[in-house]
Every structure is written in structure tokens, then in C-alpha cells.
Amino acid sequence: MNRHEHGHRHHDEAMLSVEDALERILDHFHVLDSKEVPLLEALGQALAEDAVSLHDIPPLDNSAMDGYAVQASSIGNASEDSPITLRVVGSVAAGELPDTAVEPGTAVRIMTGAPIPPGADSVVPFEETDEIERRNAALDMAEIGIKIAAPVGSDIRPAGQDVRKGTLVLTAGTVLRPSEIGVLASLGFDSVKVVRRPVVAILSTGDELLDPGDTYSEGKIYDSNSYSVAASVLRYGGAPKMLGIARDNLDSMNAKLREAMEADMLITSAGVSKGDYDMVKDVLAAHGRIAFWSVRMRPAKPLAFGVLDAGDGRKVPHLGLPGNPVSAMVAFEQFGRAAIHKMMGKDGFLKPRIQAVLDEPIYNTDGRRVYARAVITKQNGDYHARLTGNQSSNLLTSMAGANGLAVCPEDTPVKETGEVVEVQMLDWPEDVF
Ligand code: AMP
Ligand code: MG
């Protein structure tokens, strides 16, 4: 028994903690198969195989500066007051191979990234030479005055300093960010094998729903859940497949469900609360299994979870979100997001959690965990949370204004102003933090 379930005998026996619901849901999800994709498309995906370097990076010893490649022993006593003059025997730019060796008393003009010529063991930057004076005085550029002594190895970047040939650079499972994408490009890969993105079928249900773009008609509302959920799926790396709206009748539901069979997951909204779910139950029971849960959370207490039989023994897990727009989003955050991460091989990916001081109380009237829509700011080094006004689960603008969900635990009737609460960050705005 979960700690939170103790001493709540007055609650519905079937009420599940958020953690128990999550565990039951995640049991039905597995890491998807992998796919080779163009490098840039792999952003946010988990590597499906180790990335081993086939080259040294950099491939050759090369110059860290624009300057002159020399032998350190040629300029041992050089100084500003008594420069040592070397004969310039060649030049080498990045991408070229040097065609002249450096010998005692000679130098090769070299650009940043260019390979060090044979014989050279250090580089003197332009600023430490008399190149500009010479140029201004129209002097012979076949010679150069060196104004400092440069120890062996100065401004030389050794071959293999970044990555040695044959080393394991990124392990399978690494989630690719811009820096890892860059590292893979530096290894010469233009495509990469990653855990593929889940296709998530998204279906809204209800006779009252209009598609955005439809002419408004009285008594109807626009379907926002399809869009907020699809946008969330996209944000977390999945590929939404918009099935549109099913009407509250068997034929309409059946037709839409058939379109979901190709997906890796189906997310529906509405039709899961008591009194409403009979139709959904009948339809889904005909295509697989479905359970209706009460989850000890506010918003989003009613939740459905099931599996559709897609034929060939293939199962499509189905998450049934509540219809109210805030409930749908909050339940997606707790359960849908985790399922997508698991399918993408990104287990354990959590939203940042912070401790914040409450600037107003959060009330918990019925022993459920409250996820209050909050605006988090930083003030004098502390995070502060204020709520986005009325917390009714039908008010989607209260979600639009929030950057976090402030949590009041199940067994705490109130978190007062000034108390510290945990906040699940929905976003981490750079301008605030
Ligand atoms: P239900 O679960 O069908 O009782 O729906 C609960 C509430 O959510 C009702 O007010 C519905 O009109 C609303 N609702 C259901 N689906 C959507 C949707 N896709 N977009 C916006 N609101 C919805
Ligand atoms: Mg409905």
C-alpha cells in the first residue's frame, strides 16, 4: 500500500495514487525499435548504437593561432627589444597540407587550424612578430622578426586532442542535444541510428465539439484538447496523428478507432467520467480492454487506460484523458509524457522540480494531490509561486499563463502563504531564471 493511501478510508477504494497509475500505465510501454535518420532530425532522440570515432579529431597537429610555425630553439632569446629574424620559407592555410619543412632559422606562415609543417614545434602568433611594422614599412616579407621566446608546443593543438580514433564518443541511449549532434557531425556522420519517434494517435470525443476553423455554431465549443495534446506530443518528440473528433455514438467511435490501430499509442479525451463512459467502455471493450480509474489528483481524477487489439497480436496502449481542457493537459503531463519518453528510450526524464515559496495558499478540499497552475518567479534568490487565478479545470487560459504546477500533497488540507511547496516546472523560461 502506498504511503498516501494510509488513513484515507473515507476515499473511494478504487482511487489510485498518481504513482500507482503511472506504474500501471508504463508497464504497457516499451522502447521502440530504431531507425537511421538524417543527423538533424535526430535532435531529442536517444542514440540506438554507440558512436565510435573513425578518425583522430583534430586529425593532425595544427595551429591554434594565425602566426608563424617555428622551431622553439631558433627563438630562445627573442624579446621585444631584440627580435630574432627568421627566413619565411612558405605558408600554409587551414585545409592545406604544408609543402615546406621548418628548419633552424626558418619559419612558415600558418593560419588557425592549418597542419603544423614538419620540423616545427611551436607557433608564434602574429601579434608577437613585427609583421605589421614590416608590411607598413614595405619591408621584405621573406623575413619575419619574432619578439618572444615560445616554448616547445606553444599554440599547437595536438592530433586527437578532442577525440582519439577508435574511442567510444557517445554511448547508446544518449539523448541528442545540439552539442551531441555537433559531435556526431565532427565524427563525419550525416545520419545516425536512433530510437524512433512514437506515432501518437489523438482523438477527441463529443457531440459538442467543432474543429477550429469551423464556423461557430451556438452551443458548440471548439476542440482544444486535440491541439494541446498534439502540441505536447510534438514537444516531447512524438509524431502526432490527428484523428479529429468522434461523435458520441458507436459508429463514429468505431470508425475513428480503426484509424488508431497503426499508431504506437492512442490518446483520447473526454467520455471517461462517471455517467459518460458507458459508450466509450462498450466501444473499447469490443476492441480490447479498458479500465476506468479514479486517480488521487486534482485536476484530472477520472482516467481511462486500456489496450486495443490491432491484429497480428499487436497491442496499442490507449490513454483516455478527461475532457476538461486543463485536466487533459495535466493528465498528459503526468502520464502521456512519461509514456512517450519511455517509448523513445528516455527513461527517467523528469521535468525540473524546484522548491518555491507560496505567495498565496493552495487548498486541498478532498484529499487529492493538487496540481495548481502557478507562475514561478525568482525573487532575492528564492523561487516564488503565485497561482494563475481560478483553478477550475475548464479554464484553459489558467494553464496558458502558468510555467509550473505547484503541488499540494494528498494528505495536506492547505499549504499556506509562505510555506514551501514542490513545483513541477512546465517550462524553464530563460528570461526568468
Ligand atoms: P466529458 O468528459 O465528455 O464529460 O467532458 C468534460 C468537459 O470537457 C465538457 O465540458 C466537455 O465539453 C469538455 N471537453 C471535452 N472534450 C473537449 C475538447 N476536445 N476540447 C475542449 N473541451 C472539451
Ligand atoms: Mg463528452
Side-chain angles (χ1 to χ4, degrees):
M1 181 179 270
N2 182 294
R3 155 174 88 84
H4 299 300
E5 282 168 319
H6 264 298
H8 280 277
R9 265 168 304 153
H10 54 290
H11 289 302
D12 182 351
E13 277 304 323
M15 188 112 73
L16 283 176
S17 70
V18 172
E19 284 72 20
D20 288 345
L22 182 62
E23 198 180 314
R24 291 188 189 192
I25 289 170
L26 289 183
D27 258 0
H28 291 271
F29 289 91
H30 307 283
V31 180
L32 298 176
D33 47 329
S34 55
K35 186 182 172 195
E36 181 101 14
V37 300
L39 187 54
L40 194 51
E41 288 176 19
L43 180 65
Q45 289 177 273
L47 260 188
E49 60 189 3
D50 292 342
V52 173
S53 180
L54 305 174
H55 318 277
D56 276 345
I57 303 173
L60 298 170
D61 290 354
N62 68 94
S63 180
M65 299 289 284
D66 293 339
Y68 286 86
V70 302
Q71 291 191 352
S73 58
S74 300
I75 56 169
N77 312 317
S79 69
E80 182 85 42
D81 296 335
S82 60
I84 289 181
T85 303
L86 302 178
R87 197 156 51 81
V88 180
V89 293
S91 74
V92 58
E96 294 179 352
L97 287 177
D99 54 8
T100 323
V102 171
E103 290 167 1
T106 73
V108 164
R109 195 163 185 270
I110 192 167
M111 306 308 286
T112 304
I116 303 296
D121 59 17
S122 71
V123 170
V124 177
F126 285 158
E127 306 85 270
E128 311 293 350
T129 72
D130 63 2
E131 192 181 272
I132 289 176
E133 295 101 293
R134 260 173 203 278
R135 219 178 268 294
N136 291 344
L139 287 180
D140 181 8
M141 299 308 292
E143 294 190 328
I144 192 72
I146 306 288
K147 299 180 180 175
I148 51 159
V152 170
S154 301
D155 285 317
I156 291 179
R157 306 187 293 205
Q161 184 181 37
D162 197 0
V163 176
R164 284 222 162 276
K165 179 177 175 174
T167 46
L168 172 58
V169 184
L170 296 171
T171 51
T174 302
V175 176
L176 303 176
R177 302 169 306 157
S179 50
E180 284 79 23
I181 296 280
V183 165
L184 289 165
S186 82
L187 300 178
F189 296 116
D190 68 344
S191 66
V192 67
K193 207 168 179 193
V194 287
V195 178
R196 73 176 172 82
R197 300 180 186 278
V199 175
V200 180
I202 295 166
L203 177 62
S204 285
T205 65
D207 288 338
E208 75 278 34
L209 300 178
L210 293 174
D211 277 317
D214 284 355
T215 307
Y216 179 73
S217 72
E218 204 158 15
K220 309 286 186 188
I221 59 169
Y222 287 112
D223 167 18
S224 58
N225 291 346
S226 286
Y227 285 84
S228 59
V229 170
S232 301
V233 166
L234 263 180
R235 167 180 264 196
Y236 299 121
K241 177 180 167 153
M242 301 285 258
L243 301 186
I245 298 165
R247 299 304 169 193
D248 289 323
N249 64 68
L250 294 177
D251 287 347
S252 180
M253 276 291 276
N254 277 320
K256 289 292 184 186
L257 283 185
R258 275 190 289 276
E259 291 180 50
M261 296 301 184
E262 302 281 294
D264 297 299
M265 175 184 192
L266 167 67
I267 301 183
T268 58
S269 68
V272 297
S273 42
K274 288 222 170 62
D276 199 16
Y277 65 45
D278 285 353
M279 206 269 306
V280 174
K281 188 161 66 184
D282 291 347
V283 177
L284 287 160
H287 290 282
R289 288 184 290 119
I290 182 91
F292 292 83
W293 297 337
S294 289
V295 185
R296 185 164 296 151
M297 64 191 284
R298 172 191 290 277
K301 176 168 113 171
L303 192 76
F305 187 74
V307 267
L308 300 173
D309 289 321
D312 306 339
R314 223 172 60 80
K315 309 270 185 207
V316 180
H318 163 220
L319 178 63
L321 303 174
N324 273 312
V326 175
S327 308
M329 286 200 79
V330 172
F332 177 89
E333 276 295 321
Q334 307 311 315
F335 307 115
R337 189 172 59 79
I340 288 174
H341 284 324
K342 185 166 182 185
M343 285 189 278
M344 293 187 73
K346 303 202 287 187
D347 247 357
F349 247 59
L350 288 176
K351 277 290 172 94
R353 282 155 207 256
I354 60 165
Q355 302 290 312
V357 180
L358 278 179
D359 288 349
E360 61 185 290
I362 303 176
Y363 296 102
N364 181 356
T365 49
D366 59 359
R368 291 190 266 155
R369 183 182 304 170
V370 180
Y371 292 97
R373 281 84 80 191
V375 178
I376 308 303
T377 53
K378 199 167 194 182
Q379 293 164 31
N380 305 321
D382 286 326
Y383 295 119
H384 280 254
R386 67 185 159 74
L387 308 189
T388 55
N390 189 326
Q391 295 288 300
S392 296
S393 60
N394 55 323
L395 304 176
L396 191 50
T397 50
S398 69
M399 194 70 186
N403 59 1
L405 296 173
V407 175
C408 179
E410 291 83 334
D411 40 17
T412 305
V414 59
K415 281 279 190 186
E416 302 283 5
T417 303
E419 283 196 80
V420 171
V421 293
E422 185 177 86
V423 180
Q424 277 183 22
M425 295 307 292
L426 295 166
D427 289 286
W428 197 259
E430 291 170 34
D431 54 337
V432 176
F433 304 99

mmCIF file of all heavy atoms in Angstrom, residues 205-208 248 270-271 276, ligand 2:
data_model
loop_
_atom_site.group_PDB
_atom_site.id
_atom_site.type_symbol
_atom_site.label_atom_id
_atom_site.label_comp_id
_atom_site.label_asym_id
_atom_site.label_seq_id
_atom_site.Cartn_x
_atom_site.Cartn_y
_atom_site.Cartn_z
ATOM 1 N N THR A 205 -13.467 13.308 -28.333
ATOM 2 C CA THR A 205 -14.816 12.754 -28.432
ATOM 3 C C THR A 205 -15.823 13.740 -27.875
ATOM 4 O O THR A 205 -15.573 14.380 -26.861
ATOM 5 C CB THR A 205 -14.946 11.425 -27.646
ATOM 6 O OG1 THR A 205 -14.772 11.690 -26.255
ATOM 7 C CG2 THR A 205 -13.918 10.408 -28.098
ATOM 8 N N GLY A 206 -16.937 13.854 -28.539
ATOM 9 C CA GLY A 206 -18.012 14.686 -28.009
ATOM 10 C C GLY A 206 -18.860 15.293 -29.111
ATOM 11 O O GLY A 206 -18.344 15.782 -30.110
ATOM 12 N N ASP A 207 -20.172 15.258 -28.898
ATOM 13 C CA ASP A 207 -21.099 15.840 -29.871
ATOM 14 C C ASP A 207 -21.030 17.355 -29.897
ATOM 15 O O ASP A 207 -21.481 17.988 -30.837
ATOM 16 C CB ASP A 207 -22.533 15.420 -29.526
ATOM 17 C CG ASP A 207 -22.769 13.946 -29.842
ATOM 18 O OD1 ASP A 207 -22.019 13.399 -30.675
ATOM 19 O OD2 ASP A 207 -23.694 13.358 -29.260
ATOM 20 N N GLU A 208 -20.456 17.923 -28.822
ATOM 21 C CA GLU A 208 -20.444 19.386 -28.721
ATOM 22 C C GLU A 208 -19.248 20.012 -29.446
ATOM 23 O O GLU A 208 -19.141 21.235 -29.511
ATOM 24 C CB GLU A 208 -20.426 19.806 -27.235
ATOM 25 C CG GLU A 208 -19.087 19.642 -26.503
ATOM 26 C CD GLU A 208 -18.799 18.215 -25.993
ATOM 27 O OE1 GLU A 208 -19.206 17.249 -26.673
ATOM 28 O OE2 GLU A 208 -18.159 18.093 -24.945
ATOM 29 N N ASP A 248 -20.420 11.115 -30.121
ATOM 30 C CA ASP A 248 -20.801 10.222 -29.031
ATOM 31 C C ASP A 248 -21.731 9.119 -29.531
ATOM 32 O O ASP A 248 -22.852 8.966 -29.053
ATOM 33 C CB ASP A 248 -21.489 11.024 -27.914
ATOM 34 C CG ASP A 248 -20.501 11.923 -27.163
ATOM 35 O OD1 ASP A 248 -19.343 11.498 -26.967
ATOM 36 O OD2 ASP A 248 -20.872 13.042 -26.781
ATOM 37 N N ALA A 270 -12.026 12.973 -23.092
ATOM 38 C CA ALA A 270 -13.443 13.032 -22.699
ATOM 39 C C ALA A 270 -14.086 11.648 -22.686
ATOM 40 O O ALA A 270 -13.509 10.667 -23.142
ATOM 41 C CB ALA A 270 -14.234 13.988 -23.584
ATOM 42 N N GLY A 271 -15.263 11.652 -22.131
ATOM 43 C CA GLY A 271 -16.025 10.412 -22.071
ATOM 44 C C GLY A 271 -15.521 9.419 -21.037
ATOM 45 O O GLY A 271 -15.821 8.227 -21.111
ATOM 46 N N ASP A 276 -20.779 9.071 -18.123
ATOM 47 C CA ASP A 276 -20.452 9.415 -19.504
ATOM 48 C C ASP A 276 -19.757 8.249 -20.194
ATOM 49 O O ASP A 276 -19.745 8.159 -21.405
ATOM 50 C CB ASP A 276 -19.518 10.631 -19.469
ATOM 51 C CG ASP A 276 -19.480 11.367 -20.788
ATOM 52 O OD1 ASP A 276 -20.374 11.130 -21.612
ATOM 53 O OD2 ASP A 276 -18.560 12.163 -20.980
HETATM 54 MG MG MG B 2 -18.442 14.330 -23.567
#
